[in-house]
Amino acid sequence: AETLRFATLVKSLYPKVPLSLMYFDYGHMRGQNKQADVDLLRAKVNAWIDHYVLGSGATPKQDVTVLTQTCPKDAKSGGPYVARNWDALTPGRRVLRSTAAQTVLSTGGDPSVSATFDPVAGPGACATTTTASEPGTASYAFPNAKGAGYTMIGSPLVQAKIAITGAFPELTGRLFDVAPDGTQTLVARNVYRPADGDTSLLWQLNANAWRFAPGHHARLEILGRDVPYMRASNGHFSIAISDVTITLPTRETKGNGLSAAKALPLPKGYKRAPAIPTASKKKPVKHRHKKPAKRKGR
């Protein structure tokens, strides 16, 4: 999210500045930093410097490259997936809708599950837990993937109606990949603090790239706390969540209930930011000028 905001700002201020982005399982805690993926990054960086600093080599393409996170770590990353900009990476979507109300409590959840997925002290990106029910949480399961499965790239989107009771409400979301044996691996997460009086939810989890293999399915869990990933609220509250729509951005557009992607909704008062705008070669517009009318003589 930070790099996309920066890239959008740069291209908005300086449209002609060359820019390319690469995302993969790399960097801070939970990043697995696979050697093959790091080598690809370094090759791209070196080619960029060779051209723009040393003046040698071909002009690098301005695009976005993505590799998927995989478990186990020694599994080859999916991709590379390349597109002209961020939005073009995911022409498809997988949508799950649920009308039934579920209630999230500030005291809900299993602390041992949260500890397993601690990004600092936990066992790593490929840690797993069971899908045993966690009281005081909301859970939404997608159907099992079929055929070749499908690839999520980007931020899962959650839309819902909410009814808040109590003070200092907080929501944390965790998207899992649930394997056929019932174990689950964390794919994406984020935290959201609704304002007092909020009755609706429009919320994106942090982005990731992940392939849901055949027989696996995505599962979203919403909690009122997720310590130690995020400090628990000082308040005591409950949040009823209903009319939920969960959207996963996908590389594929067919099979597994996938469909063509639509523009994401925006909160009231917001405008859409270009995701790494690309310079387009617009054809000059031809204007037809009317001949001036002849003036009548006096």
Side-chain angles (χ1 to χ4, degrees), residues 104-111 135-136 224-225 235-237:
V104 170
L105 303 177
S106 55
T107 56
D110 182 347
R225 59 176 181 173
H236 294 278
F237 57 84

Side-chain angles (χ1 to χ4, degrees), residues 230-274:
M230 184 60 62
R231 183 184 180 278
S233 169
N234 289 339
H236 294 278
F237 57 84
S238 65
I239 303 176
I241 305 176
S242 61
D243 296 316
V244 176
T245 300
I246 306 163
T247 304
L248 306 182
T250 63
R251 184 68 176 171
E252 301 82 9
T253 59
K254 296 181 180 179
N256 284 297
L258 304 178
S259 60
K262 294 183 179 180
L264 296 178
L266 292 175
K268 187 177 180 180
Y270 283 67
K271 64 179 181 179
R272 196 172 307 281

Side-chain angles (χ1 to χ4, degrees), residues 180-231:
D181 64 1
T183 59
Q184 60 184 6
T185 305
L186 183 64
V187 174
R189 73 189 333 167
N190 207 350
V191 64
Y192 182 85
R193 290 191 173 94
D196 292 339
D198 274 359
T199 58
S200 63
L201 185 66
L202 182 60
W203 175 27
Q204 283 184 299
L205 304 189
N206 290 322
N208 197 1
W210 184 274
R211 178 176 172 267
F212 290 95
H216 291 233
H217 69 266
R219 171 179 174 260
L220 175 70
E221 182 183 35
I222 302 178
L223 311 88
R225 59 176 181 173
D226 191 7
V227 180
Y229 167 67
M230 184 60 62
R231 183 184 180 278

